[in-house]
Amino acid sequence: MASRKMLIDGEEGKNTQSNAEDNTHYDFDLFVIGAGSGGVRAARFSAKYGAKDARHYGWEVNEKVDFNWKKLLQKKELGISSDEALSLEELPKHAVVLGGGGFDDEMRAVVARNLEGRGINLHPRTTLTQLSKTDDGIKVDEYSRTTVPSIWAIGDVTNRMNLTPVALMEGTCFAKTVFGAQPSKPDYSNIPYAVFSIPPLSVVGLSEEQAIEQANGDVLVFTSSFNPLKNTISQRQEKTVMKLLVDADTDKVLGASMCGPDAPEIMQVGIHPSAAEEFVTMRDPTRRVSGARKPKTNL
């Protein structure tokens, strides 16, 4: 993202060029490259704070929106994300899914057993050596600013935590920082995430291995395994497994994980894509009422 505004030591500063350029006319305040969750959030919230939008840079927004989809497909390189999987023109004969690290070992084993039961071949602790484009992503500071003061980067290109809700948070923090006069740093602690396998796996906080490594004292491990009612009726043998990690001294919950139907909805609000995320994406009030008036609804 290219912005005509920038921060210097946490405060809005001026361009490094001469002060004579302070009143220079710009066609736009923010130019966003990429239309992922973070880019869209950054643009929308920046506009909310008064930023002007950019037109005539490939996208033509008049009476209709013009864009060449086939040209985009031709430019795709190496691989695709899960978002494009259902847009392929033909069903691929073979597919390789890379990823799945960072989860609790016991919960990962539950998912692995279920996948293998469905005929999926797993190759744990395997390093892919040929499919590569960048190693570390674009370098940014704690405000998502690159080494070029007017260019910022958020989302997967920075390779910090590649999750949709995180990109949304980074986009929001960018808009607040640059256009809202509210310097904001993304907070990456205790971010919930999920793998939409069958059944899905959802996690928030520490894994058992991380808790053992980081805790100062003992860790209490609570687990539950059962056959969901709908699996009992259908006679499917996929069990639901839940785990809770608690600090034995303070009784503080350190981590929670679940593998089973509806795990992303149950585990935490904000995971994408889930219905529960709507609770944390409602930013503008639908209406404002006083206690003396009869409530109204537009549902």
Side-chain angles (χ1 to χ4, degrees), residues 173-217:
C173 289
F174 162 80
K176 286 183 176 180
T177 298
V178 179
F179 295 103
Q182 306 172 49
S184 304
K185 306 173 185 178
D187 182 2
Y188 298 98
S189 60
N190 296 322
I191 294 175
Y193 51 98
V195 174
F196 289 87
S197 52
I198 301 177
L201 169 66
S202 185
V203 176
V204 64
L206 302 179
S207 66
E208 183 174 346
E209 294 71 33
Q210 292 171 328
I212 293 173
E213 181 179 346
Q214 298 181 25
N216 295 323

Side-chain angles (χ1 to χ4, degrees), residues 81-125:
S81 70
S82 58
D83 292 336
E84 296 91 17
L86 297 179
S87 298
L88 296 175
E89 294 183 358
E90 296 181 0
L91 179 67
K93 295 181 179 180
H94 302 282
V96 175
V97 179
L98 175 65
F103 290 93
D104 184 282
D105 285 348
E106 185 175 10
M107 304 303 293
R108 188 188 295 116
V110 173
V111 175
R113 287 196 300 269
N114 287 326
L115 293 177
E116 290 172 338
R118 292 173 176 268
I120 298 176
N121 297 322
L122 302 179
H123 301 278
R125 297 177 178 84

